[in-house]
Amino acid sequence: MSDAALLARAPRLARRASRMQASEIRELLKIIEQPGVISFAGGIPDPALFPVDAIRQHYSDILSDPASAGRALQYSVSEGDADLRDWIVDHMRSRGVICDRDNILITSGSQQALEFAAKLFLSPGDTALVTAPTYLGALQAFAASEPVFRDLDIADIDATVAQFREPADSSDCKFAYVVPDFANPSGETMDLAARRRLLDLAETLDIAIIEDSPYAALRYEGEPVAPIQALDLAGGRTIDHSRVVFCGSFSKVFTPGLRLGWVCASRDLIRRLVLIKQSSDLNAPALNQMVVARLTADHFDRQAERAQAHYRAKRDAMLEALSRHMPAHARWSEPEGGMFIWLTAGAGIDTAALLPRAIEEARVAYVPGRAFYADGRTSDAMRLSFSLPDCAQIRAGVERLAALVRQAG
Amino acid sequence: MSDAALLARAPRLARRASRMQASEIRELLKIIEQPGVISFAGGIPDPALFPVDAIRQHYSDILSDPASAGRALQYSVSEGDADLRDWIVDHMRSRGVICDRDNILITSGSQQALEFAAKLFLSPGDTALVTAPTYLGALQAFAASEPVFRDLDIADIDATVAQFREPADSSDCKFAYVVPDFANPSGETMDLAARRRLLDLAETLDIAIIEDSPYAALRYEGEPVAPIQALDLAGGRTIDHSRVVFCGSFSKVFTPGLRLGWVCASRDLIRRLVLIKQSSDLNAPALNQMVVARLTADHFDRQAERAQAHYRAKRDAMLEALSRHMPAHARWSEPEGGMFIWLTAGAGIDTAALLPRAIEEARVAYVPGRAFYADGRTSDAMRLSFSLPDCAQIRAGVERLAALVRQAG
């Protein structure tokens, strides 16, 4: 048997693989490793912020006590560590989402939560509404379920709805996916009015909302906006009747290395998601969950404040450098938090075509805008992340990038 | 919107959920917690064997060095830690599978490898060949891709092939799944002739073989049998043309808590599986992989020998107690390794119907045979695991179980 014949046995994958792009993260880790290249590409937390000493101490404590060590190293329940879920319940309540432990599932990062949402809702050919641009990893996670992607226009809900009214109807539309806080890649935050419009849209189309909010704790200015899930409940609905599936993460505040996130949703959906977790990988490592449960209890707010100060300075450095160096045809978002600035180069520049020159000549990396569109359309935009480089690198990198954009324009 | 309406938006899940049973592990952890119940139910490693001190030391060492700590707590490559993959290459080579790093993917336990195999090969309605009985967790992992299960009869390959020849053909058949070493649940090991017959079957039907071998290192007597993948290569084929997808695990020798396993397959399949890993959860936690890489390098053989001695005594205690106490209508397998004995109670006993009495009256737990059949058929068999209880509990539990079986017969 040739391997071609073996692969021909995997038609579903073959179809899907063509839609899956080489991962942002993999490619970008490679770029970062090139000496002299300043990378604005990866949405990667700064390891200088990892609370390494606290993490090491928690591993040591848990593994020093025979009872907790035995539990930490054994198979565990698919829904996740009870203490960690209880902390999440308190955290969600503090944000206006009244829920209890049965509304929480621990996932292996919020990437897994997105993949589970697709498994839960999407059959091949179903419609998923996504903003344009949207998070690349979500497109990859959803693609495995072979949906049709349609544009979600939060500013023009009527246009979004109109896609379904004639000629097609909306019965195959299953959810709308958004990153409401400091979005990846746009950096933009949905205001209260936009969140309410989205809830109205979901009501009109009778669909779920996947609210992906890994950056919420990283706000550098302005007032927090209530989660869409909280607004859904504010109308008098309980969490067990909410149409919102909220996905949270410990990757951005603590560390992405332990791969832990969560879903908050109605208990009926959680019950089904637990079955999906179980058949997917049984459970997230109990030891890692116990470590993060101890970290959150001691450190979450303090660590979030530390991260805010650290990343605020980097964001400010990037915004200042953009103002100073970019040509007039370029525009960019001014995020109130998170890790990303969305820069529109203008002047008909295809940022995907420009990337090799950016890396080879300007020695600076970014993610081309087209990676963030389900249809892979040509784009004159790019995503710039300010999370990993230091302020001096940010200034130098933006200056080099600006010269290239000016030259290409 | 009612939650019923929301769930009606998830028809695919609804179909699948009805096929997914409450997890063995979840249910059994609950049973184990009942005081006084001796559980032969879970296939759960004995925590007395966990190399806790070595694990604690490795966590401490990795997190004490800023360079390795930064790497351990950051996002990482989807294919897995290079050192760990290199150890696996050596391990597979020692078992007759000549491969290199590009043939290895690290998964979150071998459960994830099974789910990925289903994602890779199965579209809804495709056929998966499975032995009857087979591993419950595999049925759950495959069920998400909505296949048709057909019986794989290793003793009668002609009968297996005949299922396809008339009237249906085999073009929708994608793989045969086996646990060749000390199978879960039967405890049986496929001999060389059976492995060769399976390869012939795969050649005839032109399908892949999923070789799930988490227990291979736990052999208590007799000579190791070459992996099916090694036999496939022994004919002169290279790993990059092999039709076998080998799934291994660190759960049974070290600890299931770190949730690490691997796939060894052709690089074309691995490349596609890496994309699946990436869209599923990006990567297994780098820190845990680094710990297991250090454990394997120092400890694998020693730890396997320790586990062999420990579990051999438990197996012997169970076999002896079965011989001493079970009535004449009961029969059971005599496994050369692993964690399971398959006991056929005989006398028309429905072991699923008997389970409540076993727990309530005899204070002993097992997994009813019917859990291990894709069609959920009534069964007079049960799976007994000897891995967790101590020898005295095994003797007492078997005596109590035997009295119940005698009474029910």
Side-chain angles (χ1 to χ4, degrees):
Chain A
M1 174 192 229
S2 71
D3 41 342
L6 191 60
L7 287 172
R9 290 272 154 171
R12 188 173 169 204
L13 179 83
R15 283 200 304 277
R16 287 197 314 244
S18 67
R19 296 185 204 175
M20 288 197 236
Q21 307 175 48
S23 143
E24 178 186 8
I25 284 168
R26 287 177 66 211
E27 293 309 305
L28 301 181
L29 285 174
K30 286 177 199 156
I31 289 168
I32 286 166
E33 282 164 12
Q34 288 192 24
V37 172
I38 295 173
S39 179
F40 301 138
I44 294 177
D46 190 338
L49 285 168
F50 297 161
V52 178
D53 292 339
I55 292 173
R56 187 179 58 234
Q57 192 61 51
H58 290 313
Y59 275 107
S60 177
D61 290 348
I62 291 165
L63 293 172
S64 294
D65 171 4
S68 62
R71 190 159 64 86
L73 296 173
Q74 190 55 281
Y75 288 113
S76 187
V77 293
S78 298
E79 42 274 64
D81 182 85
D83 292 339
L84 185 57
R85 288 157 71 215
D86 284 349
W87 181 87
I88 293 167
V89 165
D90 288 345
H91 177 74
M92 294 302 299
R93 283 172 172 253
S94 77
R95 303 199 61 211
V97 175
I98 307 303
C99 58
D100 68 31
R101 197 193 283 175
D102 293 339
N103 299 112
I104 309 295
L105 166 71
I106 305 296
T107 56
S108 296
S110 59
Q111 182 70 22
Q112 186 175 60
L114 301 180
E115 204 244 347
F116 285 4
K119 278 182 168 166
L120 180 63
F121 287 110
L122 298 176
S123 292
D126 281 348
T127 293
L129 288 173
V130 295
T131 56
T134 191
Y135 170 48
L136 168 60
L139 293 176
Q140 293 181 321
F142 301 161
S145 295
E146 302 176 58
V148 173
F149 292 108
R150 296 211 209 196
D151 281 357
L152 168 64
D153 186 344
I154 292 165
D156 190 348
I157 290 298
D158 289 344
T160 304
V161 172
Q163 295 181 94
F164 297 100
R165 284 303 155 88
E166 40 189 295
D169 85 31
S170 71
S171 66
D172 289 337
C173 185
K174 298 302 167 63
F175 62 70
Y177 166 78
V178 289
V179 186
D181 302 295
F182 331 121
N184 183 353
S186 73
E188 282 167 13
T189 297
M190 290 170 67
D191 63 17
L192 264 182
R195 292 171 196 231
R196 293 205 169 103
R197 278 200 309 277
L198 180 63
L199 278 165
D200 287 345
L201 169 78
E203 200 82 35
T204 303
L205 296 178
D206 199 16
I207 58 176
I209 294 171
I210 313 298
E211 179 175 25
D212 182 17
S213 190
Y215 310 103
L218 300 181
R219 173 173 280 280
Y220 316 134
E221 67 177 62
E223 287 304 306
V225 188
I228 300 167
Q229 193 170 56
L231 298 176
D232 192 34
L233 304 195
R237 186 174 275 157
T238 70
I239 182 70
D240 288 328
H241 293 80
S242 175
R243 65 169 70 253
V244 183
V245 176
F246 181 98
C247 307
S249 176
F250 295 106
S251 293
K252 312 305 179 187
V253 170
F254 286 120
T255 153
L258 303 186
R259 310 296 311 116
L260 289 171
W262 75 86
V263 179
C264 178
S266 77
R267 75 186 62 209
D268 275 346
L269 290 180
I270 292 293
R271 201 153 43 218
R272 283 157 176 82
L273 289 167
V274 168
L275 290 176
I276 291 176
K277 177 71 181 164
Q278 188 176 291
S279 67
S280 296
D281 58 10
L282 299 181
N283 59 265
L287 174 57
N288 296 359
Q289 293 186 67
M290 290 163 76
V291 166
V292 172
R294 292 177 186 214
L295 278 177
T296 50
D298 299 349
H299 284 281
F300 189 86
D301 290 341
R302 190 157 25 117
Q303 175 72 13
E305 283 165 26
R306 229 182 117 216
Q308 287 157 13
H310 188 80
Y311 291 131
R312 182 188 293 116
K314 294 186 179 203
R315 177 203 63 163
D316 291 348
M318 184 171 273
L319 287 174
E320 195 187 55
L322 289 168
S323 294
R324 184 183 305 260
H325 299 294
M326 277 289 162
H329 51 80
R331 284 165 294 115
W332 53 90
S333 59
E334 301 197 350
E336 295 182 327
M339 298 183 167
F340 306 109
I341 290 173
W342 183 248
L343 182 133
T344 306
I349 295 171
D350 176 352
T351 52
L354 191 65
L355 182 61
R357 281 183 58 201
I359 294 172
E360 295 299 319
E361 298 171 24
R363 310 298 286 162
V364 62
Y366 57 80
V367 183
R370 72 183 306 167
F372 302 99
Y373 293 94
D375 57 9
R377 67 188 74 162
T378 302
S379 168
D380 66 347
M382 62 179 72
R383 191 191 72 178
L384 301 177
S385 169
F386 50 80
S387 56
L388 196 57
D390 63 31
C391 289
Q393 289 171 319
I394 288 172
R395 289 186 201 101
V398 167
E399 185 169 0
R400 275 140 61 172
L401 181 64
L404 183 72
V405 167
R406 184 184 311 275
Q407 188 187 351
Chain B
M1 175 193 228
S2 72
D3 42 343
L6 192 59
L7 287 172
R9 290 271 154 173
R12 189 173 168 206
L13 179 83
R15 283 201 304 277
R16 287 198 312 246
S18 67
R19 297 185 203 174
M20 287 196 238
Q21 307 174 49
S23 142
E24 176 187 8
I25 285 169
R26 288 178 65 213
E27 294 308 306
L28 300 181
L29 285 174
K30 286 177 198 156
I31 289 168
I32 286 166
E33 282 164 12
Q34 286 192 24
V37 172
I38 294 173
S39 178
F40 301 138
I44 293 176
D46 190 338
L49 285 168
F50 296 161
V52 178
D53 292 339
I55 291 173
R56 187 178 58 235
Q57 192 60 50
H58 291 312
Y59 275 107
S60 177
D61 291 348
I62 291 165
L63 293 171
S64 294
D65 170 6
S68 63
R71 191 159 64 85
L73 296 173
Q74 189 55 280
Y75 288 113
S76 187
V77 292
S78 298
E79 41 275 64
D81 181 86
D83 292 338
L84 185 57
R85 287 157 71 216
D86 285 347
W87 182 86
I88 294 167
V89 165
D90 289 343
H91 178 72
M92 294 303 297
R93 284 172 172 252
S94 77
R95 302 200 61 212
V97 176
I98 307 303
C99 59
D100 68 29
R101 199 193 281 175
D102 293 339
N103 299 112
I104 309 295
L105 166 71
I106 305 295
T107 57
S108 296
S110 59
Q111 182 71 23
Q112 186 174 61
L114 301 180
E115 204 244 348
F116 285 4
K119 278 182 169 165
L120 181 62
F121 287 110
L122 298 176
S123 292
D126 282 347
T127 293
L129 288 172
V130 296
T131 56
T134 191
Y135 170 49
L136 168 59
L139 292 175
Q140 292 180 322
F142 301 161
S145 295
E146 303 176 58
V148 174
F149 292 109
R150 295 211 210 194
D151 281 358
L152 168 64
D153 185 345
I154 292 165
D156 190 348
I157 290 298
D158 289 345
T160 304
V161 172
Q163 294 180 94
F164 296 100
R165 285 302 156 91
E166 36 189 298
D169 84 32
S170 71
S171 66
D172 289 339
C173 185
K174 296 302 167 62
F175 62 70
Y177 166 77
V178 289
V179 186
D181 302 294
F182 331 121
N184 182 354
S186 73
E188 282 168 13
T189 297
M190 290 170 67
D191 62 17
L192 265 183
R195 291 171 196 231
R196 294 205 168 106
R197 278 199 308 276
L198 180 62
L199 278 166
D200 287 346
L201 169 79
E203 201 81 35
T204 302
L205 297 178
D206 200 17
I207 59 176
I209 295 171
I210 312 299
E211 178 175 25
D212 181 17
S213 190
Y215 309 104
L218 300 180
R219 172 173 282 279
Y220 315 135
E221 67 177 61
E223 287 304 307
V225 187
I228 299 165
Q229 192 168 57
L231 297 176
D232 191 32
L233 303 196
R237 187 174 272 158
T238 70
I239 182 70
D240 288 328
H241 294 82
S242 175
R243 64 168 72 251
V244 182
V245 176
F246 181 98
C247 307
S249 175
F250 295 106
S251 293
K252 313 305 177 185
V253 170
F254 287 120
T255 153
L258 303 187
R259 310 297 311 118
L260 290 171
W262 73 87
V263 179
C264 177
S266 78
R267 76 185 61 208
D268 275 346
L269 291 180
I270 292 294
R271 202 152 44 218
R272 284 158 175 80
L273 289 166
V274 168
L275 290 175
I276 292 176
K277 177 72 182 166
Q278 188 177 291
S279 66
S280 295
D281 58 11
L282 299 182
N283 59 266
L287 174 56
N288 296 359
Q289 293 185 66
M290 290 163 76
V291 166
V292 172
R294 293 178 185 215
L295 278 178
T296 50
D298 298 349
H299 283 281
F300 189 86
D301 290 341
R302 190 156 27 117
Q303 175 72 14
E305 283 165 25
R306 227 180 120 217
Q308 287 157 12
H310 188 81
Y311 291 133
R312 182 188 294 117
K314 294 187 178 201
R315 178 202 62 163
D316 291 348
M318 185 171 273
L319 287 173
E320 193 187 57
L322 289 167
S323 292
R324 185 184 303 262
H325 299 296
M326 276 289 162
H329 51 80
R331 285 166 292 115
W332 54 90
S333 60
E334 301 198 350
E336 294 182 327
M339 298 183 166
F340 305 109
I341 290 172
W342 183 249
L343 181 134
T344 306
I349 294 170
D350 175 351
T351 52
L354 191 66
L355 182 61
R357 281 184 58 202
I359 294 173
E360 295 299 319
E361 296 171 23
R363 308 299 284 162
V364 62
Y366 57 80
V367 183
R370 70 182 306 164
F372 303 98
Y373 292 95
D375 58 8
R377 68 189 73 165
T378 303
S379 168
D380 65 347
M382 62 179 72
R383 190 192 73 178
L384 301 177
S385 169
F386 49 80
S387 57
L388 196 57
D390 64 30
C391 287
Q393 290 171 319
I394 288 171
R395 288 186 201 101
V398 167
E399 184 168 359
R400 275 140 60 171
L401 182 64
L404 184 72
V405 167
R406 184 185 310 276
Q407 191 187 347

